[in-house]
């Protein structure tokens, strides 16, 4: 009979129950057996006699005594007992009490095996934390792994985080390797998209010198890339590189496109090459991102190379990739390649979309390839796409810029018929084209249509007017201005002045006066330069009826200089003051800081006019006052006894003659009355005035010798010349009659605008004529 067949007839002492199944609970007595025990079978025969089984202390001994022999407590039995207790009591103080009463001493192997069987995460944690308080506890990577696995399956991430903190504290206090547990926590949190927590755990693991494995790096990078945080992913990637880990295939698929899209093209290219060297086959997303990013960055050769490599790998381009490539090449101005890709796209069965049509048309139009742009434009219309105002405008403006009126008008009419509203730039380009082609009536029609579209047309109308003015088409400009007035369109005073000056330049004085009146009535102020330019036209005028028009125009300016001119030619009775005082009073009222150049111009032209009118004394008064007010500060130079000079290079002809006469009179007074005689005297005339001044002085037998740009004489010879009566009359009174002949021809030398811009026309031969 086996050991399990124990006779019910036994001593009064309670004996232990031996059972073959280790899962059944044994009961132990307290104390130790002192008598021999006989074990009988059913017939009463003795099976065995010997010392009884000594009891063991629960939780202290890892064996039982069979007679005098120690019988080890099987691990399987221990694990089963632990599992039974844990499953029954789950958690709490009762569980810990029952675990404390275990009739054997557990070890970490028992705990680890029990954790594999217990599926409840709370019960597992309770068992683990009870074990941590025992003296035989030793940290175990495997234990933590199983606990984290259970918590992850139950999605209890708060418990994972709490257990991780315990893991960190345990790692800092014991020199044990728990790297697997660290990595497992980070992976679980990363896959659960717990971004901040996973990154915090990652940083803590790094701080404690934990070796992060490749899978953890990849999971973290995928998390950050999926969360659109590529720069954090790159930071982890750099840590990964420093640790010598490598990406896996799925992370390559995410990392390379992210690097490319963020502009880190060199890093993306490096990973792309590394991926191929490790025999990973790049997916379409990698090729697409590299082709797109390289193209947008202007690396067209690299983009095309990757595109061809993709074709070689058997992958088929998508419509988006075609659009990206065409867009990159078109924006780079490589329209031939863009057009080839365009044809490849259509051959591959893809239908260009609205945006691609628009881009390819506009890029060809802006580059001047209007034939191709027009052809694709027609193709776009046939495909059922309605071109945008931008596309119409681009084509129309480029046709306008190239001077193609018919094509531009056809596009404009097509745009209007399609119900589209042309933009301001489109109208401006079309009006400029029509203005340049001198199509006034058509331009007027377009301008009124522009007004009906709700645009302000004042500026556009003025721009057209300016085109005619700059082109010199004065009649068209006047016609357009008349249309503007009849349509209630205002223009700006600047253009009115420009048109007025053009009319004056072309001798259209009758048309110029209404323009000036309009200019003055619109609160614009005629400045001294404009007044002086009109006076210059009067100086050159040789026809009496034009003189009347010019005098009327001068009066219409309402400038104070005209009142001065009128007063200058009246008698002292009307002026009630001498000429010199009258001139000084006028010049005292001028702001020289603002108008010095304009006043200098006025003096030059006024002296021309006064000389031609024979008003020599009045002219000398004007010169004297102008010199007093330092309008010509460097004209006269007294270099003590060495040299005296007069520089008239920047004067008009009339001003130069008056300056010479007046200055020689001053030289004569200093030399005769004060006895100061310089070594030499020179008149710096320049090439234009040299002949005029020389001929004037030759009429009174002057000693001045003519060189290239200077008339010069010794002081003694000039002193003798000054003593002649004819010279005194010449210098004190007026220019003699022989010089009057010369004066009559001065109008061919008078400046048309500023005094420094003098005509270089040589003087004509002197002929007899009427005096001034």
């Amino acid at each position: 009979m086996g050991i399990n067949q124990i006779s019910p007839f036994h001593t009064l002492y309670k004996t232990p129950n031996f059972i073959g199944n280790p899962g059944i609970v044994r009961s132990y007595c307290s104390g130790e057996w002192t008598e021999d025990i006989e074990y009988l079978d059913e017939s009463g025969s003795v099976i065995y006699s010997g010392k009884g089984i000594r009891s063991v202390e629960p939780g202290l001994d890892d064996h039982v005594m069979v007679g005098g022999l120690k019988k080890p407590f099987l691990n399987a039995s221990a694990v089963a007992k632990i599992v039974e207790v844990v499953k029954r009591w789950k958690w709490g103080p009762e569980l810990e009490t029952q675990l404390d009463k275990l009739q054997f001493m557990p070890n970490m192997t028992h705990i680890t095996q029990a954790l594999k069987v217990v599926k409840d995460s709370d019960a597992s944690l309770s068992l683990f934390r009870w074990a941590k308080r025992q003296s035989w506890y030793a940290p175990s990577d495997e234990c933590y792994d199983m606990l984290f696995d259970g918590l992850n399956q139950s999605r209890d991430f708060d418990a994972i985080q709490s257990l991780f903190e315990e893991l960190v504290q345990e790692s800092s206090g014991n020199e044990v390797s728990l790297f697997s547990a660290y990595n497992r926590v980070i992976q679980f949190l990363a896959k659960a998209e717990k971004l901040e927590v996973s990154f915090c755990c990652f940083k803590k693991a790094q701080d404690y010198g934990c070796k992060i494995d490749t899978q953890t790096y990849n999971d973290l990078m995928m998390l950050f890339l999926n969360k659109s945080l590529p720069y954090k992913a790159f930071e982890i990637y750099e840590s990964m590189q420093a640790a010598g880990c490598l990406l896996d295939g799925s992370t390559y698929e995410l990392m390379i496109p992210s690097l490319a899209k963020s502009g880190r093209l060199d890093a993306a290219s490096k990973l792309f090459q590394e991926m191929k060297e490790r025999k990973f086959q790049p997916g379409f997303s990698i090729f697409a991102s590299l082709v797109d990013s390289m193209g947008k960055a202007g690396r067209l050769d690299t983009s095309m190379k990757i595109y061809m490599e993709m074709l070689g790998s058997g992958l088929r381009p998508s419509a988006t990739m075609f659009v990206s490539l065409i867009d990159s090449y078109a924006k780079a101005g490589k329209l031939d390649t863009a057009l080839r890709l365009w044809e490849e796209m259509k051959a591959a069965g893809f239908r260009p979309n609205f945006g691609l049509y628009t881009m390819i048309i506009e890029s060809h139009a802006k580059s001047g390839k209007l034939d191709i742009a027009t052809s694709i434009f027609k193709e776009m219309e046939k495909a059922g796409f309605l071109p945008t105002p931008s596309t119409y405008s681009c084509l129309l403006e480029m046709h306008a810029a190239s001077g193609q009126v018919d094509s531009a008008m056809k596009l404009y009419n097509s745009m209007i018929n399609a119900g589209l509203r042309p933009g301001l730039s489109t109208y401006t380009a079309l009006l400029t084209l029509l203005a340049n082609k001198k199509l006034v009536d058509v331009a007027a029609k377009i301008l009124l249509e522009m007004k009906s579209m709700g645009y302000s047309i004042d500026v556009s109308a003025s721009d057209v007017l300016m085109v005619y003015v700059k082109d010199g088409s004065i009649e068209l400009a006047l016609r357009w201005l008349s249309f503007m007035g009849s349509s209630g369109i205002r223009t700006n005073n600047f253009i009115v002045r420009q048109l007025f000056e053009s009319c004056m330049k072309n001798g259209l004085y009758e048309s110029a006066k209404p323009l000036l009146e309009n200019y003055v009535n619109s609160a614009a102020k005629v400045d001294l330069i404009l007044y002086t330019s009109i006076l210059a036209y009067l100086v050159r005028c040789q026809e009496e009826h034009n003189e009347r028009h010019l005098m009327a125009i001068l009066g219409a300016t309402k400038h104070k200089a005209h009142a001065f001119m009128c007063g200058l030619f009246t008698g002292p009775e009307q002026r009630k003051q001498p000429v010199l005082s009258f001139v000084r009073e006028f010049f005292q009222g001028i702001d020289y800081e603002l108008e010095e150049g304009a006043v200098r111009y006025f003096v030059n032209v006024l002296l021309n006019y006064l000389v031609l009118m024979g008003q020599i004394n009045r002219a000398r008064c004007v010169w004297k006052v102008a010199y007093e007010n330092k309008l010509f500060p460097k004209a006269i130079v007294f270099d003590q006894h060495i040299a005296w000079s007069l520089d008239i290079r920047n004067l008009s002809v009339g001003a130069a003659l008056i300056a010479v006469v007046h200055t020689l009179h001053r030289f004569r007074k200093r030399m005769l009355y004060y006895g100061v005689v310089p070594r030499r005297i020179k008149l710096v005339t320049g090439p234009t005035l040299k002949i005029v001044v020389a001929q004037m002085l030759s009429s009174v037998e002057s000693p001045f010798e003519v060189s290239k740009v200077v008339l010069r004489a010794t002081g003694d010879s000039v002193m003798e010349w000054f003593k002649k009566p004819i010279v005194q009359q010449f210098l004190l009174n007026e220019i003699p009659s022989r010089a009057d002949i010369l004066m009559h021809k001065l109008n061919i030398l008078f400046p048309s605008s500023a005094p420094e811009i003098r005509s270089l026309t040589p003087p004509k031969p002197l002929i007899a004529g009427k005096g001034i």
Side-chain angles (χ1 to χ4, degrees), residues 339-352:
L339 205 58
R340 177 175 61 80
L341 289 166
W342 168 272
E343 297 299 332
E344 285 183 16
M345 179 180 181
K346 292 193 291 184
F350 294 112
R351 182 172 178 254

Side-chain angles (χ1 to χ4, degrees), residues 12 108 128 147 158 192 310 316 402 408 458 612 662 715 722 730 732:
L12 294 176
M108 285 309 296
F128 176 72
L147 286 170
D158 290 336
M310 185 194 75
R316 183 171 177 262
S402 62
D458 292 350
L612 285 175
H662 186 77
F722 280 158
F730 167 63
L732 291 177

Side-chain angles (χ1 to χ4, degrees), residues 416-597:
I416 295 298
N417 294 335
L420 298 175
R421 183 174 183 258
L424 183 60
S425 61
T426 304
Y427 274 117
T428 302
L430 186 59
L431 287 170
T432 303
L433 170 65
L434 295 172
N436 287 327
K437 295 296 181 180
K438 298 180 173 56
L439 299 173
V440 178
D441 295 334
V442 181
K445 173 179 175 292
I446 297 297
L447 190 71
L448 294 177
E449 289 181 6
M450 179 181 176
K451 184 178 181 181
S452 68
M453 289 287 183
Y455 290 105
S456 174
I457 59 174
D458 292 350
V459 174
S460 298
S462 297
D463 290 342
V464 173
L465 179 60
M466 198 64 191
V467 170
Y468 292 133
V469 172
K470 287 183 177 179
D471 191 48
S473 304
I474 305 304
E475 293 182 2
L476 292 178
L478 292 170
R479 183 178 164 191
W480 182 261
L481 186 64
S482 175
F483 156 72
M484 290 175 65
S486 63
S487 302
I489 305 171
R490 296 176 299 173
T491 187
N492 61 63
N493 289 325
F494 172 78
I495 299 179
V496 172
R497 176 168 175 165
Q498 293 290 314
L499 181 56
F500 167 76
E501 292 178 356
S502 297
C503 287
M504 295 292 292
K505 184 178 180 180
N506 288 273
L508 302 175
Y509 302 129
E510 292 184 30
S511 301
K513 184 183 176 187
L515 291 172
L516 183 63
E517 289 173 344
N518 181 29
Y519 182 75
V520 174
N521 292 334
S522 63
K525 185 179 179 182
V526 175
D527 57 25
L528 187 57
I529 290 179
L530 182 59
Y531 180 86
T532 306
S533 67
I534 301 170
L535 181 61
Y537 286 111
L538 179 62
V539 170
R540 293 192 299 273
C541 183
Q542 296 182 0
E543 298 177 3
E544 187 175 348
H545 70 282
N546 285 336
E547 287 182 358
R548 287 197 296 271
H549 287 305
L550 287 167
M551 289 300 295
I553 291 171
L554 284 171
T557 61
K558 298 181 181 180
H559 195 276
K560 64 180 181 180
H562 188 65
F564 167 71
M565 289 285 293
C566 294
L568 194 62
F569 281 92
T570 59
E573 297 81 9
Q574 290 85 357
R575 282 196 311 269
K576 297 181 181 180
Q577 63 183 133
V579 174
L580 186 61
S581 300
F582 180 70
V583 173
R584 279 181 176 148
E585 183 179 325
F586 171 73
F587 278 88
Q588 284 172 358
I590 294 174
D591 186 349
Y592 289 96
E593 287 188 8
L594 299 176
E595 297 186 290
E596 183 177 354

Side-chain angles (χ1 to χ4, degrees), residues 1 5 122 138 155 306 375 415 458 492 595 661 672 674 688 716 720 727:
M1 182 178 291
Q5 297 174 331
D122 289 337
R155 314 299 288 172
I306 296 172
S375 173
M415 190 175 187
D458 292 350
N492 61 63
E595 297 186 290
V661 173
L672 292 179
Y674 302 109
T688 306
D716 294 335
E720 294 301 320
V727 176

Side-chain angles (χ1 to χ4, degrees), residues 282-473:
F284 177 79
S285 63
I286 291 180
F287 282 113
S289 63
L290 286 174
V291 168
D292 178 65
S293 300
M294 292 293 181
K296 288 178 179 177
R299 301 185 184 184
L300 299 180
D301 293 339
T302 306
S303 179
M304 182 57 70
K305 180 182 176 183
I306 296 172
Y307 169 72
M308 299 304 295
E309 185 177 336
M310 185 194 75
L311 294 180
S313 68
L315 294 174
R316 183 171 177 262
S318 65
T320 306
M321 182 178 288
F322 273 120
V323 171
S324 174
L325 276 170
I326 293 170
D327 180 70
S328 297
Y329 275 93
K331 288 180 178 176
K334 297 188 176 183
L335 298 181
D336 293 338
T337 306
L339 205 58
R340 177 175 61 80
L341 289 166
W342 168 272
E343 297 299 332
E344 285 183 16
M345 179 180 181
K346 292 193 291 184
F350 294 112
R351 182 172 178 254
N353 60 19
F354 173 79
L356 192 58
Y357 267 117
T358 301
M359 186 270 297
I360 203 77
I361 291 170
E362 292 184 6
S363 59
H364 279 83
K366 289 176 182 177
S367 65
K369 297 184 177 182
L370 295 178
D371 294 338
I372 297 175
T374 303
S375 173
I376 299 175
F377 179 78
K378 292 177 180 177
E379 182 183 321
M380 180 182 184
E381 290 182 313
K382 289 179 182 178
F385 292 113
L386 176 64
T388 63
S390 172
T391 306
Y392 270 115
S393 298
C394 180
L395 274 173
L396 195 154
E397 289 169 21
M398 295 311 299
H399 278 93
S402 62
Q404 300 182 30
V405 179
D406 294 339
S407 299
M409 286 302 299
K410 184 177 179 181
L411 283 165
Y412 172 76
N413 291 326
S414 174
M415 190 175 187
I416 295 298
N417 294 335
L420 298 175
R421 183 174 183 258
L424 183 60
S425 61
T426 304
Y427 274 117
T428 302
L430 186 59
L431 287 170
T432 303
L433 170 65
L434 295 172
N436 287 327
K437 295 296 181 180
K438 298 180 173 56
L439 299 173
V440 178
D441 295 334
V442 181
K445 173 179 175 292
I446 297 297
L447 190 71
L448 294 177
E449 289 181 6
M450 179 181 176
K451 184 178 181 181
S452 68
M453 289 287 183
Y455 290 105
S456 174
I457 59 174
D458 292 350
V459 174
S460 298
S462 297
D463 290 342
V464 173
L465 179 60
M466 198 64 191
V467 170
Y468 292 133
V469 172
K470 287 183 177 179
D471 191 48
S473 304

